[in-house]
């Protein structure tokens, strides 16, 4: 028995030595997650884009099984937790295991290695996917607790929405003030985010700017409208705050990501870990809106191509692109007898929910070869950690 213990410790030591060298193999990590971006979504882009897409430039492609701990079909909370922490949990749980214990994400690990960290999303900063990287709660609905945990996350750069979770809260706490006390610049409009020279800032932009689509005729939803009002309310009491909006629709994610990369790359010997979520693909899947899904995938592709340009000029960078799950059971529908290039693409959906179908993984740059083949969702953060640990 005693001998067995000695052997297992020796094996453990050998594992640590081989999996974590003193010199990390990868300096920077960009982890791009398309929420609900299954094969149907990717295909809808490939068939409607004349230019080669960013997906076609991937030298390495894999597949991952998206299951949660309690279901074949994951939600974005358990899916995000698996992709962030390497542990499967119950649907609805964010950054916590099925017993409710907080897990350590690969973003947190990157911080312990001295890397800078960033989060860019086109949804609220407190939404399940980004929250899986810094929070630990047993329900994705605990957005006010998640926002508090965000203020303790020590993430260097964050850009997203969700002002109502930071200001005008039911408990009256002003977490924008908490962030400022902790040394952050806090910006509520695009111009400030795009023009900042700060190395540590949080951009909490109205969702209206993040989601706006021409097909909505520029109208905001009720929740988006409420955020615009909150920003205006803050502007009224603080002359440094202005409530101007993004002038050009459908450029948000690409520009916000480029800004985060610029800031995280600045004077940075230890490298960075940047997670980006394109959240709205999931919404179009839920709504069975094929036209919207194609528009969203085109925006995703613009962001992806910018990321690939970055990796090409910074070869010590790893870019991993994947989804937390598939949404909509999306397929390309039989479109009569027309040749492939005639007539609009028709997508057919089999559900308004998520499916448990495997999703693709695309990898570029340093260490990309590790992401080939069939894996579990939980393998991805473990592989990333093995490449950056020191
Ligand atoms: Zn969903």
């Amino acid at each position: 028995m005693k001998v067995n213990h000695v052997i297992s410790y020796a094996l453990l030591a050998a594992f640590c030595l081989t999996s974590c060298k003193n010199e990390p193999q990868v300096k920077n990590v960009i982890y791009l997650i398309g929420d609900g971006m299954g094969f149907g979504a990717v295909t809808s882009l490939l068939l409607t884009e004349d230019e080669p897409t960013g997906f076609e430039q991937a030298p390495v492609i894999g597949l991952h099984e998206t299951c949660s701990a309690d279901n074949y079909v994951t939600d974005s909370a358990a899916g995000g937790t698996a992709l962030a922490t390497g542990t499967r949990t119950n649907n609805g749980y964010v950054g916590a295991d099925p017993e409710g214990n907080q897990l350590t994400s690969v973003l947190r690990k990157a911080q312990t290695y001295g890397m800078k960290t960033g989060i860019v999303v086109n949804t609220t900063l407190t939404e399940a996917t980004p929250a899986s990287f810094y929070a630990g709660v047993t329900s994705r609905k605990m957005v006010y607790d998640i926002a508090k945990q965000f203020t303790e996350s020590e993430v260097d750069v964050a850009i997203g929405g969700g002002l109502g979770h930071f200001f005008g809260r039911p408990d009256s706490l002003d977490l924008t003030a908490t962030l400022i006390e902790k040394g952050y610049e806090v910006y509520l409009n695009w111009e400030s985010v795009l023009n900042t020279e700060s190395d540590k800032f949080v951009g909490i932009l109205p969702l209206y700017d993040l989601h706006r689509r021409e097909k909505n005729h520029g109208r905001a939803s009720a929740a988006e409208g409420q955020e615009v009002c909150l920003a205006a309310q803050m502007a009224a009491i603080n002359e440094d705050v202005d409530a101007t909006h993004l002038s050009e629709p459908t450029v948000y994610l690409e520009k916000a990501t480029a800004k985060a990369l610029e800031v995280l790359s600045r004077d940075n010997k230890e490298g960075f870990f940047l997670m980006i979520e394109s959240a709205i693909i999931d919404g179009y899947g839920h709504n069975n809106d094929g036209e919207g899904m194609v528009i969203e995938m085109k925006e995703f592709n613009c962001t992806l191509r910018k990321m690939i340009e970055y990796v090409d000029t910074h070869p010590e960078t790893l870019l991993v692109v994947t989804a937390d799950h598939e949404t909509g059971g999306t397929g390309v529908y039989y479109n009569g007898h027309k040749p492939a290039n005639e007539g609009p693409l028709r997508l057919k959906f089999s559900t308004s929910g998520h499916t448990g179908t495997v999703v693709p993984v695309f990898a570029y740059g340093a260490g990309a070869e590790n992401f080939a083949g069939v894996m579990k969702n939980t393998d991805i953060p473990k592989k990333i950690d093995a490449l950056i640990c020191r």
Side-chain angles (χ1 to χ4, degrees):
M1 199 61 187
K2 208 171 185 178
V3 173
N4 281 344
H5 275 150
V6 170
I7 290 169
S8 46
Y9 283 129
L11 283 173
L12 192 65
F15 174 77
C16 288
L17 283 174
T18 51
S19 68
C20 189
K21 293 174 183 155
N22 289 336
E23 279 296 310
Q25 291 162 269
V26 168
K27 182 181 176 190
N28 307 312
V29 176
I30 305 170
Y31 197 179
L32 175 55
I33 299 172
D35 200 308
M37 188 183 72
F39 285 104
V42 174
T43 308
S44 76
L45 176 73
L46 296 177
L47 297 184
T48 55
E49 188 63 49
D50 296 331
E51 298 291 314
T53 67
F55 294 115
E56 288 154 89
Q57 295 177 50
V60 177
I61 298 173
L63 302 173
H64 81 79
E65 298 168 17
T66 62
C67 307
S68 66
D70 62 350
N71 208 298
Y72 284 126
V73 181
T74 189
D75 75 333
S76 291
T81 301
L83 292 177
T85 70
T87 299
R88 280 188 175 158
T89 192
N90 297 337
N91 284 348
Y93 285 39
V94 174
D97 70 15
E99 284 72 48
N101 304 305
Q102 179 157 8
L103 296 161
T104 304
S105 74
V106 62
L107 179 147
R108 293 281 198 184
K109 286 195 169 180
Q111 289 175 329
T112 69
Y113 306 143
M115 298 166 78
K116 291 188 184 180
T117 54
I119 291 177
V120 175
V121 294
N122 61 1
T123 178
T124 63
L125 288 165
T126 49
E127 193 257 353
T129 309
S132 298
F133 285 80
Y134 63 81
V137 291
T138 52
S139 170
R140 60 189 294 170
K141 293 178 183 161
M142 296 164 70
V143 288
Y144 298 107
D145 296 281
I146 292 171
K148 261 193 198 170
Q149 292 180 359
F150 175 81
T151 66
E152 290 151 17
S153 69
E154 294 179 39
V155 167
D156 297 285
V157 174
I159 313 171
L163 183 59
H165 303 155
F166 292 84
F167 177 80
R169 294 160 48 98
D171 61 10
S172 302
L173 283 177
D174 178 357
L175 298 186
T176 63
T178 309
L179 288 166
I180 291 165
E181 276 166 30
K182 287 177 181 279
Y184 286 96
E185 302 286 342
V186 176
Y187 306 121
L188 305 183
N189 70 87
W190 251 112
E191 292 300 311
S192 303
V193 169
L194 290 179
N195 296 330
T196 184
E197 294 292 317
S198 171
D199 290 339
K200 192 175 174 184
F201 73 87
V202 181
I204 316 178
L205 308 172
L207 284 175
Y208 175 65
D209 285 359
L210 278 48
H211 291 185
R212 194 160 48 144
R213 289 285 171 273
E214 283 173 49
K215 69 186 283 198
N216 292 341
H217 308 294
R219 278 185 281 108
S221 72
E224 289 166 357
Q226 191 199 3
E227 291 223 327
V228 172
C229 292
L230 263 180
Q233 197 184 325
M234 287 193 80
I237 57 173
N238 183 343
E239 61 182 22
D240 293 336
V241 172
D242 90 48
T244 53
H245 300 295
L246 181 63
S247 53
E248 208 183 337
T250 74
V251 293
Y252 162 75
L253 200 62
E254 180 188 340
K255 287 200 172 179
T257 303
K259 185 65 192 184
L261 280 176
E262 173 204 317
V263 174
L264 292 171
S265 303
R266 204 181 284 153
D267 304 324
N268 186 354
K269 284 201 180 72
E270 300 300 328
F272 63 79
F273 178 96
L274 172 62
M275 80 78 59
I276 306 150
E277 187 200 13
S278 176
I280 323 294
I281 302 161
D282 178 63
Y284 288 115
H286 283 296
N287 292 338
N288 288 185
D289 179 347
E291 195 187 331
M293 186 174 274
V294 170
I295 293 170
E296 198 58 34
M297 286 306 299
K298 286 187 188 296
E299 182 176 353
F300 187 93
N301 185 43
C302 293
T303 306
L304 173 58
R305 292 179 67 152
K306 278 279 152 61
M307 299 305 91
I308 295 169
E309 271 172 35
Y310 185 90
V311 173
D312 287 344
T313 50
H314 301 78
E316 67 283 33
T317 305
L318 166 68
L319 167 62
V320 178
V321 183
T322 192
D324 49 356
H325 53 74
E326 197 275 346
T327 305
T330 316
V332 177
Y333 191 56
Y334 179 64
N335 197 14
H337 296 284
K338 288 177 178 170
N341 291 332
E342 286 182 33
L345 180 79
R346 285 182 68 194
L347 295 179
K348 179 94 169 175
F349 299 86
S350 64
T351 174
S352 60
H354 301 171
T355 72
T357 307
V358 294
V359 297
V361 182
F362 303 88
Y364 311 72
E369 64 280 5
N370 293 282
F371 297 86
V374 181
M375 63 202 97
K376 293 186 166 42
N377 45 6
T378 49
D379 292 330
I380 297 173
K382 291 176 188 166
K383 286 171 188 281
I384 294 173
D385 184 45
L387 291 165
I388 59 173
C389 72
R390 55 199 79 175

